[in-house]
Amino acid sequence: MSDATAANDQPLIFREGLLDGQVALITGGGTGIGLGIAQLLARLGAHVVVASRKAEHVESAAQSIRAAGGSASSETVDVRDAEQVQAMVARIEQAQGRIDLLVNNAAGNFYAPSESLSPNAWRSVIEIDLFGTFFCSQAVLPAMKRQGRGRIVSISMTLHYRGWPLMAHATAAKAGVDALTRTLAIEWAPYGVRMNAIAPGPIPTEGVRRAFTPPPSASGQVPDMFAVEQAMTSYAKKAIPAGRWGTPGDIANMVAFLASPAGDWITGSIFVVDGGEWLARNPAPQMQR
Ligand code: NAP
């Protein structure tokens, strides 16, 4: 399944028009899971704003959503930069008049041994995943306070529940995202803001395929993509009790549920959506170095 067809191909399980009139901002909404979320929210009637650093990602995503009959616009932003984030939110409020839902989905990721992880690599992942989540959440709060209602959903992970070799940077960042989710849920509940997180299991986006793909050898030999696909299939059979990889649509459906009136009394919760993968994960795997 390509990123671009991620959620549009799946049957709609919520009623049409469920999110009519709502404005949703999805960071990292131009690719992978974020794109699947943006597609579903648009199908349910929301105006979606897809935001990330690369114009080619967000513009083509917004264009494809409009071509499918949805309402979408795009923003280029680096979520590590609080001023850029605030300026983006001001533009969205001016254009759309409100912000009902923020999905903190942008993240940076790669496997790397912690003993040689550079300060820049460490800082970059922590800043995208954790600082970005905080900056975006803080920036949309005034609009949500004025509205007396708002939903924030952050995309976390499960790898920090038991530890995951070569992912010290991302696991530390997402543990922080979980902590923020619980703390801000309490602080901001009186404003009508609901703050939750979703911890996806493995979903074969392009980013994950890259992580399963060995780097080209010193002699320039290209990785065997068939072997990569086989390794991924065998991982799903062995390691995911539900027997399959996840899809962006699996995560998007949970976001839609939380954005709907059903989410009104849910805050500070972290929903694992992973086919049972983390419960069955024992012991922590030794990743190839
Ligand atoms: P992905 O396609 O690589 O998505 C990451 C997105 O973040 C990209 O659209 C990227 O767009 C954006 N981004 C990166 N740095 C940014 C920055 N500084 N400012 C703004 N946007 C930035 O990966 P994915 O697999 O869909 O992951 C989406 C989310 O799910 C992430 O939070 C990830 O941690 C989480 N997750 C994924 C899996 C999985 O198996 N796929 C499992 C658990 C959790 P630009 O390059 O255009 O900036």
Side-chain angles (χ1 to χ4, degrees), residues 180-220:
L180 264 185
T181 299
R182 295 189 175 106
T183 296
L184 300 187
I186 302 170
E187 269 191 50
W188 295 354
Y191 303 135
V193 174
R194 304 290 173 258
M195 177 102 189
N196 294 290
I198 298 171
I203 294 174
T205 57
E206 289 308 311
V208 166
R209 282 210 164 77
R210 270 196 305 279
F212 266 80
T213 307
S217 68
S219 62

Side-chain angles (χ1 to χ4, degrees), residues 28-103:
T31 66
I33 295 172
L35 176 57
I37 293 169
Q39 288 172 333
L40 179 62
L41 299 178
R43 284 176 78 191
L44 293 172
H47 173 84
V48 296
V49 184
V50 286
S52 77
R53 292 164 306 175
K54 296 182 186 145
E56 70 265 26
H57 284 163
V58 291
E59 283 169 11
S60 68
Q63 169 57 35
S64 72
I65 290 168
R66 287 193 296 266
S71 174
S73 53
S74 60
E75 286 285 342
T76 50
V77 71
D78 187 331
V79 295
R80 292 173 288 189
D81 183 329
E83 284 181 12
Q84 279 190 38
V85 168
Q86 275 162 12
M88 168 186 68
V89 166
R91 283 192 299 274
I92 298 169
E93 277 195 78
Q94 194 169 32
Q96 306 299 333
R98 55 189 300 114
I99 300 183
D100 299 277
L101 170 66
L102 162 68
V103 183

Side-chain angles (χ1 to χ4, degrees), residues 205-273:
T205 57
E206 289 308 311
V208 166
R209 282 210 164 77
R210 270 196 305 279
F212 266 80
T213 307
S217 68
S219 62
Q221 198 185 349
V222 221
D224 176 352
M225 291 315 291
F226 183 66
V228 169
E229 291 298 326
Q230 276 190 321
M232 289 178 60
T233 305
S234 116
Y235 179 82
K237 286 205 176 116
K238 215 170 41 196
I240 306 175
R244 66 164 175 89
W245 286 75
T247 67
D250 289 321
I251 308 308
N253 280 330
M254 182 57 90
V255 174
F257 178 83
L258 290 170
S260 79
D264 190 56
W265 209 50
I266 302 175
T267 200
S269 293
I270 298 161
F271 295 89
V272 176
V273 180

